[in-house]
Amino acid sequence: MTLGRSVFDGSAEVVARALIGAEMTVDGVGGRIVETEAYDLGDPASHSFRGPTKRNAVMFGPVGRAYVYRIYGLHWCLNVVCDAGARGSAVLIRALEPTVGIETMVERRGLAGVRSLCSGPGKLAQALNITVDLNGVDLTAAPFAFRSGNAADIIVGPRIGITKGVATPWRFGLRGSPYLSRPFPK
DNA sequence: GTTCCGATGTACT
DNA sequence: GTACATCGGAACG
């Protein structure tokens, strides 16, 4: 069934766990969320840590919006804004198991295989055609759609690509999924 | 399998 | 000027 706004109304860690196994689509293209990361205000790895800026303003706005930013000058990353009170919390969507619109995603990515279509934040943004145009957009309405799914077993580990806050294990994944951006450390 | 590296926009020191 | 929540390709083993 369709997920309502309440799924985003919790701490970053709680929402990051809750989204594992759910299905996310943009204009009917997407898949099952298999990997997320949590970021919040008290976290030196978070864009919100130093307070509001032009880039991160959406993180300080209403719950259930998309926060999209450019990374390394060429890729886009999608976050969902969460936490009651909207205090700079967000969940980075890192990987999907492609389920719908696979042909469209193959075209956008220029790839043959399904395995690496959405196995990373920049990859899934390209596959789902996510750009800054969607920054600040309500996730509970078109073109977004979130549907509930089940995650049998969630694995936890350190977040990827950060240099601060490395001790906070806020990366979550669907255990055993072949569609993760990288394996979790043992 | 591994490591190295270039591409390149934006925020911040 | 430097850092950055990345990716894909080249070189190597």
Side-chain angles (χ1 to χ4, degrees), chain A residues 124-179:
Chain A
L124 79 87
Q126 184 184 18
L128 274 60
N129 202 26
I130 293 165
T131 70
V132 71
D133 288 349
L134 293 177
N135 190 40
V137 166
D138 187 349
L139 296 167
T140 63
F144 287 101
F146 285 78
R147 296 181 69 80
S148 58
N150 58 315
D153 196 0
I154 293 175
I155 187 168
V156 181
R159 292 173 291 180
I160 291 178
I162 58 172
T163 57
K164 301 168 201 154
V166 292
T168 305
W170 275 358
R171 179 184 177 218
F172 305 95
L174 182 63
R175 186 185 296 271
S177 172
Y179 301 98

Side-chain angles (χ1 to χ4, degrees), chain A residues 16-17 20-21 33-38 92-96 119-121 153-160 166 168-186:
Chain A
R17 287 177 175 276
I20 299 293
I33 297 170
V34 297
E35 184 180 337
T36 59
E37 284 179 1
L92 172 66
I93 309 297
R94 285 194 56 89
L96 303 180
S119 59
D153 196 0
I154 293 175
I155 187 168
V156 181
R159 292 173 291 180
I160 291 178
V166 292
T168 305
W170 275 358
R171 179 184 177 218
F172 305 95
L174 182 63
R175 186 185 296 271
S177 172
Y179 301 98
L180 299 173
S181 64
R182 299 174 31 177
F184 278 72
K186 184 166 176 235

Side-chain angles (χ1 to χ4, degrees), chain A residues 3-172:
Chain A
L3 291 170
R5 189 173 307 277
S6 60
V7 72
F8 305 116
D9 198 4
S11 72
E13 182 181 3
V14 165
V15 173
R17 287 177 175 276
L19 288 178
I20 299 293
E23 183 185 76
M24 180 184 78
T25 56
V26 178
D27 278 326
V29 174
R32 184 187 194 193
I33 297 170
V34 297
E35 184 180 337
T36 59
E37 284 179 1
Y39 292 88
D40 77 12
L41 194 58
D43 168 16
S46 174
H47 289 174
S48 61
F49 184 65
R50 296 174 186 279
T53 66
K54 186 173 182 182
R55 178 177 66 164
N56 69 19
V58 174
M59 288 184 78
F60 293 89
V63 162
R65 302 283 183 92
Y67 167 45
V68 181
Y69 67 92
R70 204 194 268 281
I71 183 66
Y72 294 112
L74 52 164
H75 306 294
W76 299 102
C77 289
L78 171 69
N79 294 250
V80 306
V81 175
C82 58
D83 205 346
R87 289 285 177 269
S89 298
V91 171
L92 172 66
I93 309 297
R94 285 194 56 89
L96 303 180
E97 173 184 339
T99 58
V100 285
I102 289 176
E103 289 306 308
T104 301
M105 291 190 276
V106 166
E107 272 180 40
R108 288 172 179 163
R109 295 269 297 123
L111 292 178
V114 171
R115 283 278 294 265
S116 58
L117 279 184
C118 300
S119 59
K123 297 177 187 179
L124 79 87
Q126 184 184 18
L128 274 60
N129 202 26
I130 293 165
T131 70
V132 71
D133 288 349
L134 293 177
N135 190 40
V137 166
D138 187 349
L139 296 167
T140 63
F144 287 101
F146 285 78
R147 296 181 69 80
S148 58
N150 58 315
D153 196 0
I154 293 175
I155 187 168
V156 181
R159 292 173 291 180
I160 291 178
I162 58 172
T163 57
K164 301 168 201 154
V166 292
T168 305
W170 275 358
R171 179 184 177 218
F172 305 95

